[in-house]
Amino acid sequence: MSNSSEPLVSKGTQDAPRYVSSPPPAAPPGDTVFCVLTLQMLFSFGVLCASFSGGKEGRTNKWLYVSSLLTFSGFAVALSICKSFSRRHPWNIVGWVVVTVSLSHMVGTIASFLDLNHVFITVGVLMVIAVAIVAFSAKTHHHDVWDGLLMTLTVDVVAFAFLHLLLPRHL
């Protein structure tokens, strides 16, 4: 035994490797979310346009209306209850596609019962609001619920006021 006052240090340990440069940053999660949202909106808009290009038989079929509501409600409830299904990689994409298709079918069916001008005015305002929300979230680093709600309501009122001045007969 040595009488030195040095502390005993294990000779088997090594320092952790040090990185000369930091690893590259991952893609921002917002970009992926906005791409998915854009794909969903484009698909829904396509189904909406297709629902108006069909004949009058789809506009009077009440069972088609009820079945589209029940289909979307069933898929939405199933995905909200089964958390393990909606959180696993291949199945969350399948669930996303199924909910998008059923939601688009429901929106197209409901819109086919309404006036064409009113539907496209509402879709236009929805697109303006979606672009405003994307721009707001890209510029704002703090996300307060009330700021976003106030911005959405303001854009909604301004868009409908602009459309009312532009198209007074249709509103």
Side-chain angles (χ1 to χ4, degrees):
M1 283 223 151
S2 70
N3 291 336
S4 69
S5 62
E6 295 179 16
L8 292 175
V9 178
S10 173
K11 301 290 185 190
T13 62
Q14 297 177 353
D15 290 338
R18 296 182 187 188
Y19 294 104
V20 176
S21 64
S22 61
D31 292 347
T32 308
V33 170
F34 294 135
C35 288
V36 168
L37 177 65
T38 303
L39 284 174
Q40 283 181 310
M41 289 180 67
L42 287 174
F43 183 77
S44 297
F45 185 69
V47 170
L48 187 66
C49 291
S51 69
F52 280 107
S53 66
K56 292 278 187 182
E57 65 272 356
R59 297 180 187 183
T60 58
N61 191 352
K62 300 287 184 200
W63 287 109
L64 184 64
Y65 185 85
V66 170
S67 70
S68 68
L69 286 172
L70 292 177
T71 302
F72 173 69
S73 300
F75 283 126
V77 167
L79 280 179
S80 65
I81 289 174
C82 301
K83 295 290 185 189
S84 64
F85 178 77
S86 63
R87 304 249 171 136
R88 292 192 182 157
H89 170 59
W91 296 112
N92 61 354
I93 295 173
V94 171
W96 167 71
V97 169
V98 166
V99 166
T100 300
V101 169
S102 64
L103 176 67
S104 300
H105 180 253
M106 181 186 74
V107 167
T109 304
I110 291 172
S112 69
F113 283 87
L114 303 173
D115 184 28
L116 178 66
N117 291 329
H118 294 149
V119 170
F120 281 113
I121 287 171
T122 305
V123 167
V125 170
L126 175 68
M127 287 183 175
V128 168
I129 290 173
V131 168
I133 289 173
V134 168
F136 177 77
S137 63
K139 292 290 183 181
T140 307
H141 296 289
H142 70 284
H143 297 288
D144 189 15
V145 174
W146 297 110
D147 291 341
L149 181 66
L150 182 62
M151 189 273 314
T152 303
L153 292 175
T154 303
V155 168
D156 192 21
V157 168
V158 168
F160 273 114
F162 179 72
L163 286 174
H164 184 66
L165 291 174
L166 191 65
L167 307 165
R169 294 177 296 157
H170 297 291
L171 296 175

mmCIF file of all heavy atoms in Angstrom, residues 83-101:
data_model
loop_
_atom_site.group_PDB
_atom_site.id
_atom_site.type_symbol
_atom_site.label_atom_id
_atom_site.label_comp_id
_atom_site.label_asym_id
_atom_site.label_seq_id
_atom_site.Cartn_x
_atom_site.Cartn_y
_atom_site.Cartn_z
ATOM 1 N N LYS A 83 -55.237 4.528 -29.112
ATOM 2 C CA LYS A 83 -54.019 5.343 -29.150
ATOM 3 C C LYS A 83 -52.825 4.554 -29.669
ATOM 4 O O LYS A 83 -51.958 5.103 -30.333
ATOM 5 C CB LYS A 83 -53.704 5.904 -27.765
ATOM 6 C CG LYS A 83 -54.736 6.876 -27.256
ATOM 7 C CD LYS A 83 -54.686 8.160 -28.039
ATOM 8 C CE LYS A 83 -55.657 9.145 -27.422
ATOM 9 N NZ LYS A 83 -55.832 10.315 -28.207
ATOM 10 N N SER A 84 -52.765 3.256 -29.372
ATOM 11 C CA SER A 84 -51.622 2.466 -29.832
ATOM 12 C C SER A 84 -51.631 2.328 -31.350
ATOM 13 O O SER A 84 -50.579 2.256 -31.974
ATOM 14 C CB SER A 84 -51.629 1.093 -29.179
ATOM 15 O OG SER A 84 -52.778 0.366 -29.574
ATOM 16 N N PHE A 85 -52.806 2.291 -31.959
ATOM 17 C CA PHE A 85 -52.894 2.197 -33.414
ATOM 18 C C PHE A 85 -52.453 3.498 -34.075
ATOM 19 O O PHE A 85 -51.755 3.490 -35.084
ATOM 20 C CB PHE A 85 -54.334 1.871 -33.815
ATOM 21 C CG PHE A 85 -54.536 1.809 -35.300
ATOM 22 C CD1 PHE A 85 -54.109 0.709 -36.014
ATOM 23 C CD2 PHE A 85 -55.152 2.842 -35.979
ATOM 24 C CE1 PHE A 85 -54.285 0.639 -37.386
ATOM 25 C CE2 PHE A 85 -55.325 2.779 -37.338
ATOM 26 C CZ PHE A 85 -54.898 1.671 -38.049
ATOM 27 N N SER A 86 -52.825 4.617 -33.496
ATOM 28 C CA SER A 86 -52.522 5.904 -34.125
ATOM 29 C C SER A 86 -51.110 6.394 -33.832
ATOM 30 O O SER A 86 -50.686 7.401 -34.377
ATOM 31 C CB SER A 86 -53.532 6.951 -33.676
ATOM 32 O OG SER A 86 -53.455 7.159 -32.290
ATOM 33 N N ARG A 87 -50.353 5.684 -32.991
ATOM 34 C CA ARG A 87 -48.999 6.129 -32.650
ATOM 35 C C ARG A 87 -47.897 5.257 -33.248
ATOM 36 O O ARG A 87 -46.736 5.566 -33.087
ATOM 37 C CB ARG A 87 -48.825 6.158 -31.128
ATOM 38 C CG ARG A 87 -49.852 7.015 -30.438
ATOM 39 C CD ARG A 87 -49.259 8.228 -29.874
ATOM 40 N NE ARG A 87 -50.315 9.126 -29.415
ATOM 41 C CZ ARG A 87 -50.278 9.754 -28.296
ATOM 42 N NH1 ARG A 87 -49.257 9.601 -27.500
ATOM 43 N NH2 ARG A 87 -51.246 10.567 -27.973
ATOM 44 N N ARG A 88 -48.230 4.195 -33.920
ATOM 45 C CA ARG A 88 -47.217 3.332 -34.540
ATOM 46 C C ARG A 88 -47.015 3.747 -35.979
ATOM 47 O O ARG A 88 -47.968 4.095 -36.673
ATOM 48 C CB ARG A 88 -47.644 1.884 -34.462
ATOM 49 C CG ARG A 88 -47.641 1.402 -33.036
ATOM 50 C CD ARG A 88 -47.785 -0.068 -32.972
ATOM 51 N NE ARG A 88 -47.816 -0.482 -31.570
ATOM 52 C CZ ARG A 88 -48.340 -1.594 -31.177
ATOM 53 N NH1 ARG A 88 -48.873 -2.419 -32.040
ATOM 54 N NH2 ARG A 88 -48.336 -1.907 -29.904
ATOM 55 N N HIS A 89 -45.761 3.625 -36.437
ATOM 56 C CA HIS A 89 -45.389 4.253 -37.709
ATOM 57 C C HIS A 89 -46.204 3.841 -38.926
ATOM 58 O O HIS A 89 -46.814 4.686 -39.540
ATOM 59 C CB HIS A 89 -43.912 4.080 -37.998
ATOM 60 C CG HIS A 89 -43.556 4.507 -39.384
ATOM 61 N ND1 HIS A 89 -43.778 5.791 -39.833
ATOM 62 C CD2 HIS A 89 -43.062 3.827 -40.428
ATOM 63 C CE1 HIS A 89 -43.396 5.872 -41.092
ATOM 64 N NE2 HIS A 89 -42.956 4.694 -41.471
ATOM 65 N N PRO A 90 -46.249 2.611 -39.330
ATOM 66 C CA PRO A 90 -46.970 2.425 -40.593
ATOM 67 C C PRO A 90 -48.470 2.613 -40.438
ATOM 68 O O PRO A 90 -49.141 3.045 -41.354
ATOM 69 C CB PRO A 90 -46.621 1.002 -41.022
ATOM 70 C CG PRO A 90 -46.075 0.327 -39.839
ATOM 71 C CD PRO A 90 -45.623 1.384 -38.878
ATOM 72 N N TRP A 91 -48.978 2.352 -39.242
ATOM 73 C CA TRP A 91 -50.430 2.402 -39.065
ATOM 74 C C TRP A 91 -50.943 3.821 -38.875
ATOM 75 O O TRP A 91 -52.096 4.104 -39.175
ATOM 76 C CB TRP A 91 -50.845 1.505 -37.897
ATOM 77 C CG TRP A 91 -50.531 0.094 -38.191
ATOM 78 C CD1 TRP A 91 -49.588 -0.669 -37.571
ATOM 79 C CD2 TRP A 91 -51.112 -0.727 -39.194
ATOM 80 N NE1 TRP A 91 -49.555 -1.917 -38.134
ATOM 81 C CE2 TRP A 91 -50.489 -1.985 -39.141
ATOM 82 C CE3 TRP A 91 -52.108 -0.527 -40.147
ATOM 83 C CZ2 TRP A 91 -50.827 -3.013 -39.986
ATOM 84 C CZ3 TRP A 91 -52.431 -1.573 -40.998
ATOM 85 C CH2 TRP A 91 -51.801 -2.792 -40.907
ATOM 86 N N ASN A 92 -50.094 4.726 -38.376
ATOM 87 C CA ASN A 92 -50.577 6.099 -38.245
ATOM 88 C C ASN A 92 -50.765 6.748 -39.613
ATOM 89 O O ASN A 92 -51.666 7.556 -39.799
ATOM 90 C CB ASN A 92 -49.653 6.932 -37.356
ATOM 91 C CG ASN A 92 -48.245 7.046 -37.899
ATOM 92 O OD1 ASN A 92 -47.891 6.430 -38.885
ATOM 93 N ND2 ASN A 92 -47.442 7.841 -37.231
ATOM 94 N N ILE A 93 -49.948 6.358 -40.588
ATOM 95 C CA ILE A 93 -50.130 6.894 -41.942
ATOM 96 C C ILE A 93 -51.388 6.305 -42.576
ATOM 97 O O ILE A 93 -52.161 7.014 -43.235
ATOM 98 C CB ILE A 93 -48.873 6.607 -42.792
ATOM 99 C CG1 ILE A 93 -47.692 7.386 -42.197
ATOM 100 C CG2 ILE A 93 -49.093 6.998 -44.243
ATOM 101 C CD1 ILE A 93 -46.368 7.067 -42.827
ATOM 102 N N VAL A 94 -51.626 5.028 -42.357
ATOM 103 C CA VAL A 94 -52.847 4.405 -42.862
ATOM 104 C C VAL A 94 -54.078 5.072 -42.236
ATOM 105 O O VAL A 94 -55.052 5.395 -42.934
ATOM 106 C CB VAL A 94 -52.841 2.885 -42.586
ATOM 107 C CG1 VAL A 94 -54.185 2.259 -42.891
ATOM 108 C CG2 VAL A 94 -51.738 2.213 -43.375
ATOM 109 N N GLY A 95 -54.031 5.296 -40.933
ATOM 110 C CA GLY A 95 -55.143 5.975 -40.266
ATOM 111 C C GLY A 95 -55.340 7.386 -40.765
ATOM 112 O O GLY A 95 -56.472 7.842 -40.959
ATOM 113 N N TRP A 96 -54.240 8.102 -41.003
ATOM 114 C CA TRP A 96 -54.325 9.462 -41.531
ATOM 115 C C TRP A 96 -54.981 9.478 -42.908
ATOM 116 O O TRP A 96 -55.837 10.315 -43.190
ATOM 117 C CB TRP A 96 -52.929 10.076 -41.576
ATOM 118 C CG TRP A 96 -52.838 11.325 -42.356
ATOM 119 C CD1 TRP A 96 -53.348 12.537 -42.004
ATOM 120 C CD2 TRP A 96 -52.219 11.513 -43.619
ATOM 121 N NE1 TRP A 96 -53.071 13.458 -42.975
ATOM 122 C CE2 TRP A 96 -52.381 12.851 -43.976
ATOM 123 C CE3 TRP A 96 -51.540 10.658 -44.480
ATOM 124 C CZ2 TRP A 96 -51.894 13.363 -45.164
ATOM 125 C CZ3 TRP A 96 -51.050 11.174 -45.657
ATOM 126 C CH2 TRP A 96 -51.238 12.500 -45.979
ATOM 127 N N VAL A 97 -54.599 8.535 -43.768
ATOM 128 C CA VAL A 97 -55.180 8.475 -45.113
ATOM 129 C C VAL A 97 -56.664 8.124 -45.051
ATOM 130 O O VAL A 97 -57.488 8.735 -45.740
ATOM 131 C CB VAL A 97 -54.388 7.473 -45.987
ATOM 132 C CG1 VAL A 97 -55.114 7.185 -47.285
ATOM 133 C CG2 VAL A 97 -52.999 8.004 -46.273
ATOM 134 N N VAL A 98 -57.025 7.170 -44.214
ATOM 135 C CA VAL A 98 -58.424 6.755 -44.108
ATOM 136 C C VAL A 98 -59.281 7.900 -43.567
ATOM 137 O O VAL A 98 -60.378 8.174 -44.081
ATOM 138 C CB VAL A 98 -58.549 5.495 -43.219
ATOM 139 C CG1 VAL A 98 -59.980 5.224 -42.812
ATOM 140 C CG2 VAL A 98 -57.965 4.300 -43.940
ATOM 141 N N VAL A 99 -58.798 8.602 -42.555
ATOM 142 C CA VAL A 99 -59.568 9.724 -42.003
ATOM 143 C C VAL A 99 -59.669 10.859 -43.025
ATOM 144 O O VAL A 99 -60.716 11.492 -43.170
ATOM 145 C CB VAL A 99 -58.952 10.209 -40.671
ATOM 146 C CG1 VAL A 99 -59.500 11.547 -40.259
ATOM 147 C CG2 VAL A 99 -59.221 9.189 -39.590
ATOM 148 N N THR A 100 -58.594 11.113 -43.776
ATOM 149 C CA THR A 100 -58.634 12.164 -44.797
ATOM 150 C C THR A 100 -59.634 11.823 -45.893
ATOM 151 O O THR A 100 -60.419 12.676 -46.315
ATOM 152 C CB THR A 100 -57.234 12.381 -45.404
ATOM 153 O OG1 THR A 100 -56.343 12.759 -44.366
ATOM 154 C CG2 THR A 100 -57.255 13.456 -46.458
ATOM 155 N N VAL A 101 -59.633 10.580 -46.346
ATOM 156 C CA VAL A 101 -60.573 10.179 -47.397
ATOM 157 C C VAL A 101 -62.002 10.232 -46.886
ATOM 158 O O VAL A 101 -62.905 10.749 -47.569
ATOM 159 C CB VAL A 101 -60.206 8.764 -47.923
ATOM 160 C CG1 VAL A 101 -61.302 8.203 -48.806
ATOM 161 C CG2 VAL A 101 -58.904 8.813 -48.677
#
